[in-house]
Amino acid sequence: MSEILPPRGYKKEDTEKRKEWLEKKTGFHLNEAGPDNPEDLRGIIENHVGFMHLPMAIAGPLLISGTYAKGEYYIPLCTLEGTLTMSMTRGLFLTHLSGGIKTNHIKQELSRSPIFIFNDIDKSKQFISWINEHFDDIKREAETTTSHGKLLRIDKYPSQNSVILDFIYYTAEASGQNMVTIATHKACRFIIENYKCDSGFRYYIESNFNGDKNPAYKSLLLGRSHYVVGSALIEGKFLRRLLRVNAKEYVDGWIQCTRGSQEAGIFGMNMHVANALTAIYLATGQDVASVVENTGGIISYEVRNSDDLFATITMPSITVGTVGGGTRLKQARKNLEFLGCIGKDSSKKLVEIVCSCALALELSLGGAIVSDEFAFSHAKYGRK
Amino acid sequence: MSEILPPRGYKKEDTEKRKEWLEKKTGFHLNEAGPDNPEDLRGIIENHVGFMHLPMAIAGPLLISGTYAKGEYYIPLCTLEGTLTMSMTRGLFLTHLSGGIKTNHIKQELSRSPIFIFNDIDKSKQFISWINEHFDDIKREAETTTSHGKLLRIDKYPSQNSVILDFIYYTAEASGQNMVTIATHKACRFIIENYKCDSGFRYYIESNFNGDKNPAYKSLLLGRSHYVVGSALIEGKFLRRLLRVNAKEYVDGWIQCTRGSQEAGIFGMNMHVANALTAIYLATGQDVASVVENTGGIISYEVRNSDDLFATITMPSITVGTVGGGTRLKQARKNLEFLGCIGKDSSKKLVEIVCSCALALELSLGGAIVSDEFAFSHAKYGRK
Amino acid sequence: MSEILPPRGYKKEDTEKRKEWLEKKTGFHLNEAGPDNPEDLRGIIENHVGFMHLPMAIAGPLLISGTYAKGEYYIPLCTLEGTLTMSMTRGLFLTHLSGGIKTNHIKQELSRSPIFIFNDIDKSKQFISWINEHFDDIKREAETTTSHGKLLRIDKYPSQNSVILDFIYYTAEASGQNMVTIATHKACRFIIENYKCDSGFRYYIESNFNGDKNPAYKSLLLGRSHYVVGSALIEGKFLRRLLRVNAKEYVDGWIQCTRGSQEAGIFGMNMHVANALTAIYLATGQDVASVVENTGGIISYEVRNSDDLFATITMPSITVGTVGGGTRLKQARKNLEFLGCIGKDSSKKLVEIVCSCALALELSLGGAIVSDEFAFSHAKYGRK
Amino acid sequence: MSEILPPRGYKKEDTEKRKEWLEKKTGFHLNEAGPDNPEDLRGIIENHVGFMHLPMAIAGPLLISGTYAKGEYYIPLCTLEGTLTMSMTRGLFLTHLSGGIKTNHIKQELSRSPIFIFNDIDKSKQFISWINEHFDDIKREAETTTSHGKLLRIDKYPSQNSVILDFIYYTAEASGQNMVTIATHKACRFIIENYKCDSGFRYYIESNFNGDKNPAYKSLLLGRSHYVVGSALIEGKFLRRLLRVNAKEYVDGWIQCTRGSQEAGIFGMNMHVANALTAIYLATGQDVASVVENTGGIISYEVRNSDDLFATITMPSITVGTVGGGTRLKQARKNLEFLGCIGKDSSKKLVEIVCSCALALELSLGGAIVSDEFAFSHAKYGRK
């Protein structure tokens, strides 16, 4: 059974052994790429002076049955938090033993939300009508700027003397933040040039309403970028063996965690999905600042079949891509290839992997807290 | 004037030129360190297989007058978001011209918050009394596990049939998440062994109440780790020259942004402090997943002297450190040295730098939105 | 000018004078109705034993130009908070002098949101498709239970192993909480009897998602029941005369209030719209517990024409009606008649009046705080 | 057993029978008081023109074992929501059969929170020091304005270029909103006259930070006015008999409700405590607009002894009083007397009764939803 888990150890030869094991196991050399050429960094960073070498590890294997991701995956992680890789591996192993993780990719919609400000509150309805009537023109303008993005619809939010237009796009394999900015700007220029209002109006390309780089209830409710759900049914015997708790104890512990979260006014309902997201984002060239908008997942646990644990996670916002931006970095591309996340629907596949790993890491942490081994494991793995 | 800004360009020789300029300007070779030895990664990552080479840039100079940070600083950044470095540099230059950024370090308090669950709701008062009476013992136990951490106090939150104890520590130069876990665990063992309750009780080391890796209103209100305030008074002429807006236009635009934020249920009140934090955290070996708990800064702008812009930012939670964890990575240490963030009070100094850079980046973005150059700059710097 | 304001005073003859003045001014005897017959209280209250006699006052006049409400109105209020009536009257008078309050009724949509729970996460898409295909049937079933309610659409929120169906109705002149419950229950029975899922499913008529009797971000964002916007442009001279502040001082004060609100994690952005809503709801037979779901209005102020104050309010949720429930009480009906809120579109008219009065009361309170007369006026009117 | 429940019915003679039963049962004539004299309404309402006659009912009996409230109580309610009285009675009866409701009064603290604005961000520490040094003087000034209120402490919240001082009072039997306004204003005058700052400063008596008439996370976390916890352990057999569900079904249903609440961004975690609060507040002369700040209670349920239901509620904010304001109305006083809420600690006693009734009403509603009788009961009791 241990053959499916990477060999452990901190010595140079351990790392070498792991790389060999990985190659044998998966056929992949993960890390032979040298640093990227400065010329290739255009569009990614300005004023480049060098590189930060973030240590990379391997967790897994994840066994997944998703809408797009299916099969077994080893997960490249970049993290500076000792324990994280071990803990995610434990969670993944636990779900692997129990048949793996299921995921359901619900939708993918990214928005930009310009605000149009009028002199008075009574201009909104007429403006909204005009937008509805000219949707085809606006869509055409927006889409001239992108070969892959599609403007799905424009949601309208009138408020005070203004109207926010939430331009909602399908961004295909791209995370798409720049795509929706540029497309929406083009569309807004069309609106400004063609819409007439006696008392005038002005606009800003962004009102902060779209939730870019912010935790937002709107994103929790309506989704932002990828919206995905995951679950695992853990057999009681594996739960007891690996986490040293039973299902009822686990759920009892989780209830206390929801109380603490409610009292503290926590956004979302999870312990640390931010950790899993950060580690995978870093390894796959994602914009890791997006984790703040993606962190609001909702987790719940219930006892099933009297002894098993049914764990579910809803992640209404995962803002990742498999083309463009940092995914062009050599190592990021290599890692995406390693995950099979290249080509059509690869962004959705990546999202399902991210969601599963977040669930696995939560499962393991929950176990550590309930069994009171949390401090011990951090003393062991989190210190020199 | 341009001598104080790094030379631009994406070519290999541009990067070389920038490194030379930086060395001449500051006396520092930023990036000669090779990757760390696997053996040195104990406590940082398990199952290490290689490195991810994140591109690093330089922004600045920041001119700052803080409680701890004083003088001029160039800022190492790791980012994959084109435009970010240019934009932060623009914001820093704008504040530099106007006399720099002021910061005020208010406090540094990190907590862990175990929950104690009783059989009934009427056990909380007696328990709280006992904790108060035994604070000295509890403190002594907690502090046996750490050479630098100090248990400042224990806040008590009774609720339902449980009591959350919020153990609040001073963690000196460490970000301290592991420190407070291990210390609190020791303290809890003491409580469990010595406190008697007829009907019994149980506990969990964490209730999610402390806001670790989560956006939490508690952290916004009471602070978590470092609490810092920053401000800049921008002269109107520089605002117009660099951002191509005047102060009144700027404030009018910001008001629309607060509307959008309120409607979307945004946590905090800022556009993207997450970006600045992420870039500096990555370059200085911080746990970048902490950005989600640090993202809730509150920004406001007002017109002063009829033409100037007064910008303020309150960041109630900046969870960083200058010792331990990822700060042990060679390049991270180099970057911390480069920032002068070594030794006593260096974590507070780093926090003031982070806060200032967040404010500068926001200032620049706000300008881009109000002048409607936002899409243009992202088309220029955010694409290949 | 003072003829348009009700005569003041606490003596019996003052009240008599006010009633005479009111009759002369408006032709209405407001308060001749004796208590209702117990038999008429069916559907309103059980276990009836008597009456609570809430004092009723008159504020105004409100001058309004809305989508439905137009002209001048005196407002019946029930309150136990001394100062409230005087303060609302001051705010209404202030806006009256400046040309009145504008309102824009945006929409009216009330929902009930049953949750359907499946065994697994992968059942949601099929279920949603079925709901879409059978919408006409479901609508017909729902509408058999109501003569006025219309099922507009069903929004679907898949999450975990469940799907929330948000049944969205137009409820005409009724506040409609019972209407949507009964209609949705009928619709759900249809779904349960006709939808087949191999692994079974269960449902609950409510998931708390609809925001009934709760402050909910969903209601702020998407609206609940009536969604209305209001504004007033206050001339500087009247602002100074009545509130003893100028427009710039007013806005400067408001900014501080938004800071305090952000730090405290206030839901919505207003000081006390709850007060205006409560007083009018009580006088017009509304369910006053709904104020908690209606309290999240967003207010903003700006200086216009260098000396005037432009005040706007967005109230995304006003859950009132003019038929059914407590509006059947004799005095409530009288008050609704007095407000002209009988018949077609009367609920929308009432909403616009409520929104205007909320704005007026806020305007007056803001003035009292900025001029530092707040404590004084409460010492005068809030004590015996 | 049915003797302890009030006789039902909507006919005039039913009401008479209920009043007789009540007198026989409790020795109280609840409703003989005629309307109050206009002269007595000073401090409660201005521009009085008459009365609104709200129907009043009786629910109960509540069996309670609290810190202050002990024994059996019938509860006067004013409501316009059919079903509410029956449902609360059902919940109270259910808990009565199982031994009653326990409550634990934790604390009573009401605040007002003026904001002091400086020219710059670096003035806060000096100001806070001065406040600390002069606390005794400030307290003396504040307390000159009140015979019962006590200034307990001043919490300081520095932010941007301002400091919010949260003046925290014990208000004895009064709800105290006016008390803390007037006392804090006096204290602020002292500060303004005695504190010197070179660059000047200004202040506002309120920053909205105190959470008055607003749902606020601060109030959830730190409490506002009375903070109380309640619980009941319901025997399985009574649960099945009265609510027609078992404990496991009940908890399973509640979990779905927490999901809906999380997704909708509900403030607090309960279905409709607002209903119970509103009905009792109206009957006892409370300011019912305060319900919006008191609505954030957190409820949880767990199965105990395999078949029983343990229900708990934390209500961190109940802003009520038994003297002053509307409690001076004749019927309100009568109802307070009827509840034994006169004299020392009567406000705390009232709070425990309110909390218990809120829990009972929730219990009953939860049962109706899980047993799918919710729509039926509203069709029966909520329509003519």
Side-chain angles (χ1 to χ4, degrees), chain B residues 309-324:
Chain B
L309 182 71
F310 183 65
T312 48
I313 184 168
T314 300
M315 303 204 76
S317 172
I318 302 279
T319 322
V320 300
T322 55
V323 299

Side-chain angles (χ1 to χ4, degrees), chain B residues 328-340:
Chain B
R328 286 159 40 208
L329 294 174
K330 283 181 183 157
Q331 187 63 49
R333 282 239 73 71
K334 244 185 149 29
N335 289 344
L336 286 168
E337 276 171 42
F338 176 54
L339 287 169

Side-chain angles (χ1 to χ4, degrees), chain B residues 18-81:
Chain B
R18 240 182 333 263
K19 290 164 84 167
E20 281 165 35
W21 170 89
L22 199 61
E23 186 176 357
K24 206 170 136 196
K25 190 86 191 169
T26 71
F28 251 82
H29 297 279
L30 255 186
N31 202 43
E32 39 195 10
D36 303 79
N37 288 322
E39 286 87 351
D40 295 336
L41 298 177
R42 178 181 295 274
I44 293 178
I45 198 165
E46 304 83 41
N47 290 355
H48 172 246
V49 293
F51 289 90
M52 176 79 197
H53 313 283
L54 283 188
M56 200 165 73
I58 208 80
L62 158 67
L63 180 62
I64 184 173
S65 165
T67 313
Y68 298 94
K70 291 169 198 295
E72 215 173 57
Y73 298 85
Y74 287 90
I75 314 296
L77 302 176
C78 288
T79 183
L80 303 174
E81 179 171 347

Side-chain angles (χ1 to χ4, degrees), chain A residues 171-195:
Chain A
T171 67
E173 310 317 327
S175 64
Q177 291 97 333
N178 280 342
M179 181 199 290
V180 304
T181 300
I182 293 164
T184 304
H185 188 254
K186 190 85 192 300
C188 288
R189 297 311 310 175
F190 173 84
I191 295 169
I192 282 166
E193 280 155 25
N194 291 281
Y195 183 69

Side-chain angles (χ1 to χ4, degrees), chain D residues 118 189 251 259 263 382:
Chain D
F118 300 89
R189 298 310 311 174
V251 171
R259 289 187 189 182
E263 280 187 73

Side-chain angles (χ1 to χ4, degrees), chain A residues 274-340:
Chain A
N275 273 336
L277 270 57
T278 298
I280 304 176
Y281 283 23
L282 284 172
T284 57
Q286 309 303 323
D287 184 351
V288 74
S290 298
V291 174
V292 302
E293 73 192 57
N294 299 160
T295 195
I298 291 177
I299 285 179
S300 61
Y301 298 103
E302 54 185 271
V303 179
R304 285 211 178 162
N305 314 320
S306 83
D307 192 34
D308 299 340
L309 181 72
F310 182 64
T312 47
I313 182 166
T314 299
M315 304 204 75
S317 172
I318 302 279
T319 322
V320 301
T322 55
V323 300
T327 68
R328 286 158 42 207
L329 293 174
K330 284 180 182 156
Q331 186 62 49
R333 281 237 74 70
K334 242 185 152 26
N335 290 343
L336 285 169
E337 275 171 43
F338 176 55
L339 288 169

Side-chain angles (χ1 to χ4, degrees), chain A residues 122-191:
Chain A
D122 55 8
K123 310 301 183 199
S124 58
K125 284 175 189 163
Q126 192 200 335
F127 178 65
I128 288 171
S129 295
W130 191 91
I131 296 295
N132 287 338
E133 286 159 20
H134 293 77
F135 177 72
D136 290 344
D137 296 331
I138 294 168
K139 178 178 166 70
R140 196 190 51 240
E141 285 293 316
E143 294 180 359
T144 58
T145 64
T146 166
S147 46
H148 296 291
K150 297 292 165 202
L151 179 61
L152 302 176
R153 65 181 188 280
I154 303 174
D155 291 342
K156 297 96 190 169
Y157 295 88
S159 159
Q160 318 282 73
N161 52 320
S162 61
V163 177
I164 293 173
L165 297 183
D166 205 31
F167 280 72
I168 296 177
Y169 296 85
Y170 176 73
T171 67
E173 310 317 327
S175 64
Q177 291 97 333
N178 280 342
M179 181 199 290
V180 304
T181 300
I182 293 164
T184 304
H185 188 254
K186 190 85 192 300
C188 288
R189 297 311 310 175
F190 173 84
I191 295 169

